[in-house]
Amino acid sequence: MDKIVIRGGRPLHGQVAVSGAKNAALPLMAATLLAPGEHVLHNVPDLRDTRTMLKVLETLGARWQWERRSVRIDTSTLTGAEAPYDLVKTMRASVLVLGPLLARSGHARVSLPGGCAIGLRPITLHLKGFEQLGATTGITEGYVEATAGGRLQGGTVYFDTPSVTGTENVLMAAVVARGTTIIKNAAREPEIGNLIDMLTAMGAEIEGRDSDRLVIHGVDSLRPAETRIIPDRIEAGTWLIAVAATGGEVTVTDCIPGHLPALTEKLRSAGVDIEEGESTITVRFPPGNGVRERRLRSVDIRTMPYPGFPTDLQAQFMALMIQADGVSIIHETIFENRFMHVAELQRLGADISIDGSSAVVKGCHGYQLCGAPVMATDLRASASLVIAGLAASGVTEITRIYHLERGYERMVEKLQGLGADIMKVPA
């Protein structure tokens, strides 16, 4: 077990490159199951979660080879249709193999997913979607099972709440179903657009990219494809928030600024300078020269499906609002347990109270957080503790950092390159 040790109080300066998006890489890896042959994915982040997904694919009979930033995945032969508990328990996104396996093999058996303890992510949305395509589904002995008596049939799928993984799973099942499938109230996240690009390159016929209504005309078969993973917008947003919390000036490269509309608007409202280029974002705070001119304003946020404020940046933004003047209200509308980081931020001196699905943050402008031992509770909570530790005086030690390593590639090294005093050491 390792831990992260931070000596805070240093502004960040320089450039930092964004890695490929974990939340795009995982469904694209699962999509390789749809067509036998060798697929090539570029800009794949080397993370615990991507390695876990490769192990899941290997269990199903696929072979893979990592070459620098690319992964070759050969799905010519599948030897199974079951994703076991010992792998799936560590990563909820393993459930994404359900749709492709059902479409290709007519049967799939996947352990109920694990991952971060941030609340319920109902698998029932996925199963109802499969049932609309003619599959029989059920949950027995902790496993989700889906079976198609023959080729899946096109149908209409409506999501009461936009579900990213639900949209992705049904989309992958529908591309080879007989006839036309319509997904209504589909999630619109950029990662779904990346998946649609790959499926299209494989021969799928899909209308409605970037909209909440997808029309899929089923085809008889698909072919292997070569696809590039989009930049990780959550990582990019984490860097922007970190600079705003600590002060300094950083240019975030290899990103897509248009993927972060809600965050950049909120940062500007808080008094942070944001300059967007074609594939770069420069963040600067304070706008003037000198710490005395720094005046971070409190703003409220409400997490929403894309293009609203991402739930995956809520914890990081809370760490920023601790530094602001005034009171901010943070409403979490996606996951019911996503305030688990609050108790750890309080250990650093934060004044935060929880009222149901909202958190009230009283900014500490005029005094500084103080470093303390804290424990990560989930992936994005880990990032919020890093940001708070960078802004705090003294030493902050973060344990259970395996959460962080599920979703951020080389975070410690990247922060060191920006001038942060941060190390990963044995616990």
Side-chain angles (χ1 to χ4, degrees):
M1 281 288 187
D2 293 331
K3 64 181 178 181
I4 288 177
V5 179
I6 304 171
R7 291 174 174 81
R10 292 190 178 191
L12 302 178
H13 293 277
Q15 289 189 359
V16 61
V18 174
S19 300
K22 173 185 81 92
N23 290 338
L26 299 178
L28 266 64
M29 287 177 168
T32 64
L33 296 169
L34 285 165
E38 185 178 83
H39 303 255
V40 182
L41 302 180
H42 299 293
N43 197 34
V44 181
D46 192 355
L47 303 165
R48 285 190 180 220
D49 275 11
T50 50
R51 293 283 180 175
T52 297
M53 181 59 86
L54 288 174
K55 290 178 182 178
V56 171
L57 296 181
E58 189 175 338
T59 298
L60 299 171
R63 299 185 302 275
W64 56 271
Q65 182 179 3
W66 204 297
E67 301 173 352
R68 295 186 180 179
R69 307 296 302 170
S70 301
V71 177
R72 294 181 179 273
I73 303 174
D74 189 343
T75 58
S76 297
T77 304
L78 296 186
T79 57
E82 179 176 315
Y85 173 71
D86 61 341
L87 289 176
V88 178
K89 69 180 180 180
T90 65
M91 187 183 70
R92 290 177 183 263
S94 303
V95 75
L96 286 167
V97 301
L98 267 173
L101 284 175
L102 180 62
R104 180 170 169 182
S105 304
H107 177 71
R109 188 171 189 263
V110 179
S111 172
L112 284 170
C116 290
I118 58 175
L120 296 173
R121 304 190 206 185
I123 194 69
T124 54
L125 295 176
H126 305 235
L127 301 187
K128 288 180 179 179
F130 296 147
E131 290 168 1
Q132 290 300 109
L133 303 183
T136 301
T137 69
I139 300 177
T140 57
E141 298 179 344
Y143 278 78
V144 179
E145 292 198 58
T147 303
R151 185 176 172 187
L152 293 170
Q153 302 292 322
T156 298
V157 177
Y158 175 78
F159 288 112
D160 291 328
T161 301
S163 166
V164 175
T165 54
T167 298
E168 291 166 342
N169 236 338
V170 174
L171 177 61
M172 288 187 282
V175 288
V176 291
R178 182 179 286 108
T180 298
T181 298
I182 300 175
I183 303 178
K184 297 181 179 180
N185 202 25
R188 294 185 288 163
E189 272 71 5
E191 294 79 14
I192 293 175
N194 202 181
L195 175 61
I196 290 175
D197 290 342
M198 178 178 179
L199 294 174
T200 301
M202 294 170 68
E205 298 180 6
I206 304 168
E207 301 173 12
R209 188 186 189 279
D210 300 327
S211 78
D212 63 357
R213 185 177 185 272
L214 299 176
V215 180
I216 305 102
H217 303 287
V219 297
D220 291 335
S221 62
L222 298 172
R223 57 183 177 270
E226 185 170 351
T227 313
R228 183 173 181 83
I229 308 298
I230 60 174
D232 194 322
R233 62 192 173 98
I234 303 303
E235 182 193 344
T238 300
W239 300 134
L240 299 182
I241 295 170
V243 178
T246 61
E249 179 175 344
V250 169
T251 296
V252 180
T253 66
D254 300 338
C255 63
I256 302 178
H259 286 177
L260 289 164
L263 174 64
T264 52
E265 177 63 26
K266 288 297 183 180
L267 287 174
R268 289 188 175 109
S269 296
V272 181
D273 277 358
I274 301 289
E275 296 179 11
E276 299 180 24
E278 183 175 343
S279 61
T280 63
I281 306 176
T282 298
V283 56
R284 184 183 303 108
F285 192 77
N289 296 316
V291 174
R292 292 182 181 179
E293 296 182 34
R294 177 181 179 178
R295 304 293 292 180
L296 190 66
R297 296 188 293 270
S298 292
V299 296
D300 299 339
I301 64 168
R302 176 183 293 272
T303 62
M304 297 286 286
Y306 188 85
F309 195 96
T311 182
D312 280 352
L313 287 173
Q314 176 258 106
Q316 299 92 309
F317 201 83
M318 184 183 293
L320 174 65
M321 288 296 95
I322 296 169
Q323 312 293 314
D325 278 336
V327 176
S328 61
I329 309 296
I330 295 177
H331 302 277
E332 175 57 55
T333 70
I334 309 297
F335 296 123
E336 70 278 5
N337 290 340
R338 208 157 201 178
F339 287 146
M340 297 174 68
H341 51 282
V342 168
E344 301 304 307
L345 291 174
Q346 290 170 335
R347 289 178 54 80
L348 300 174
D351 188 344
I352 306 170
S353 57
I354 300 175
D355 182 9
S357 61
S358 299
V360 180
V361 184
K362 296 181 180 179
C364 65
H365 185 78
Y367 67 92
Q368 196 172 23
L369 298 175
C370 295
V374 292
M375 180 181 67
T377 55
D378 62 71
L379 170 54
R380 306 308 173 183
S382 305
S384 76
L385 297 179
V386 170
I387 291 171
L390 292 171
S393 64
V395 177
T396 298
E397 294 186 359
I398 306 173
T399 55
R400 295 179 67 182
I401 64 170
Y402 57 85
H403 286 294
L404 193 73
E405 294 171 342
R406 288 185 48 233
Y408 289 93
E409 185 178 43
R410 299 174 46 248
M411 180 183 237
V412 170
E413 291 87 344
K414 289 183 178 183
L415 283 170
Q416 288 171 340
L418 298 177
D421 189 345
I422 181 172
M423 297 181 297
K424 185 170 76 170
V425 300

